[in-house]
Amino acid sequence: MTSRAPEPADLGPLSGCAAELAEAFVSLASDIALVIDEHGVIQSVAQSSSAPIAAGASQWVGRPWVDTVTGDTRRKVELMLTDLKTTGIARRREVNVPGVQTGDVPVAFSALRLGASGPVLAVGRDLRAVSAIQQRFLDAQQELERGYWRARQAESRYRLLFQVATDAVLTVDASSLRVIEANHAAASLLGAGMSLVGRAAPDLFDRSSRALLQELLLGAGSTGRPAEIHVRLPRAQSTAAVSATPFRSEDGLRLLLRVRCEGQADLSASADIHRQLAQKVDGTRDGIVVTDSSGRITMANPAFLALAEGVSEDDVRGRPIDGWVGRIESDVAALL
């Protein structure tokens, strides 16, 4: 035999006490309750006295229910009234009730008809606390997205300057001492046509200097302090100053290696790299200025010149950077 669904209970006998039921619902499980006739007109209103949804809700009596919500949610009330005429029950829908001082109040209403021809009891829950939590979540999410894009932009600028730097620069994993990144200058100086990524950093230098370099890297990684030594370059008679600076990344401790040749610099290569740097930074909105080791400006992009109150690059070239950065000489000295 096929089981039949039970017939819904006849709520008609409760129609005479609809107003009392509204008060009971508000006191037990809701924030507002409305009694509505067959024409959709509000007959009585009950709401919590501690945190009323609408201060003037008592004046809704005699008004159509659709006129007590904002225009953008009238359609939801109309759909609820249609459901009540056909099935006697209206599923939960969220509407907005106009507020006087606090703005629109979101309310979730459910409704049922008390009997075939009886009044409608609509029960609502105040969603202001839920909406506030949702808004805080959205604000936090947007702030995370803004932070993510700021980090991406900073990373892009770092990679740009990393590649056009005139010194050889390598990023090394502090635990394995293997190269993670290497710029063009490092590949030209140490690579001999081979990729440096994945190779042990000490093996990139002359055999006589590998033990010293390994000691430098291990010491910087364990103490967390930068250090510098002089080593011999591979297949060359010249020496270089190698500095190791530890820094933290998402994947663990890293070491930033900077290799500066102590012999005669390749002026043509340096000029070419300088041109590359100028081309790449001229279009950025960030102010970028390049100085020599004493802090005198050698190049400045248009964004920096605009921050420097519209001077030209010729006006700032050769002048100390402390004329624009820092309030006292010690600020610039600390940066250098």
Side-chain angles (χ1 to χ4, degrees):
M1 296 179 60
T2 304
S3 61
R4 299 178 57 187
E7 294 291 333
D10 182 12
L11 301 178
L14 299 175
S15 60
C17 54
E20 290 78 3
L21 285 174
E23 294 286 351
F25 270 106
V26 168
S27 64
L28 295 174
S30 67
D31 299 302
I32 190 169
L34 311 175
V35 178
I36 303 164
D37 65 14
E38 67 274 15
H39 302 295
V41 177
I42 297 174
Q43 300 299 308
S44 69
V45 178
Q47 65 175 335
S48 172
S49 58
S50 59
I53 289 176
S58 59
Q59 300 176 6
W60 293 354
V61 176
R63 296 177 58 191
W65 187 14
V66 294
D67 291 345
T68 64
V69 300
T70 59
D72 58 325
T73 56
R74 285 174 61 95
R75 179 59 179 164
K76 294 183 179 181
V77 173
E78 293 170 353
L79 291 173
M80 293 179 73
L81 292 173
T82 301
D83 292 342
L84 288 164
K85 288 179 180 180
T86 56
T87 65
I89 299 176
R91 65 180 180 85
R92 181 179 184 270
R93 294 181 187 270
E94 296 179 10
V95 302
N96 292 326
V97 175
V100 179
Q101 296 178 339
T102 59
D104 296 343
V105 179
V107 182
F109 273 106
S110 300
L112 76 161
R113 183 177 294 280
L114 301 178
S117 58
V120 168
L121 180 61
V123 179
R125 293 286 295 177
D126 188 344
L127 299 180
R128 281 178 290 189
V130 176
S131 297
I133 293 173
Q134 291 175 338
Q135 186 60 50
R136 285 198 295 269
F137 173 77
L138 290 175
D139 292 343
Q141 187 178 38
Q142 291 174 355
E143 182 59 32
L144 284 174
E145 290 176 356
R146 287 192 291 268
Y148 168 76
W149 285 112
R150 284 195 296 266
R152 286 292 301 271
Q153 292 169 355
E155 181 183 7
S156 297
R157 291 191 291 269
Y158 148 74
R159 292 189 179 280
L160 166 66
L161 296 173
F162 182 82
Q163 289 300 337
V164 301
T166 55
D167 289 340
V169 182
L170 306 96
T171 304
V172 176
D173 180 77
S175 58
S176 66
L177 303 187
R178 293 192 176 275
V179 177
I180 299 173
E181 289 181 294
N183 68 350
H184 296 310
S188 176
L189 182 66
L190 305 171
M194 300 174 60
S195 174
L196 302 182
V197 176
R199 298 179 62 185
D203 294 347
L204 302 177
F205 295 85
D206 188 78
R207 289 182 179 275
S208 62
S209 301
R210 290 176 185 175
L212 283 175
L213 190 62
Q214 183 164 345
E215 183 180 350
L216 167 76
L217 299 178
L218 293 175
S222 62
T223 64
R225 289 191 291 244
E228 181 175 317
I229 62 171
H230 296 269
V231 299
R232 186 170 295 280
L233 294 173
R235 296 174 297 279
Q237 299 302 317
S238 60
T239 59
V242 178
S243 62
T245 303
F247 67 95
R248 288 282 175 185
S249 73
E250 293 180 357
D251 301 326
L253 187 63
R254 300 283 185 261
L255 298 171
L256 189 69
L257 260 64
R258 181 184 178 195
V259 184
R260 288 173 292 130
C261 294
E262 297 180 333
Q264 179 65 32
D266 185 347
L267 297 180
S268 62
S270 177
D272 182 59
I273 293 175
H274 193 279
R275 284 193 297 271
Q276 292 182 45
L277 178 61
Q279 292 171 358
K280 291 179 182 294
V281 303
D282 275 355
T284 182
R285 291 179 295 178
D286 297 320
I288 297 178
V289 59
V290 179
T291 75
D292 60 18
S293 58
S294 65
R296 293 188 176 273
I297 297 173
T298 61
M299 189 196 77
N301 73 338
F304 176 83
L305 297 175
L307 292 173
E309 300 181 350
V311 296
S312 68
E313 188 172 9
D314 290 337
D315 294 332
V316 302
R317 188 180 291 115
R319 296 177 60 183
I321 185 63
D322 57 13
W324 292 273
V325 178
R327 291 170 296 178
I328 52 176
E329 284 189 11
S330 59
D331 290 346
V332 175
L335 286 173
L336 295 175

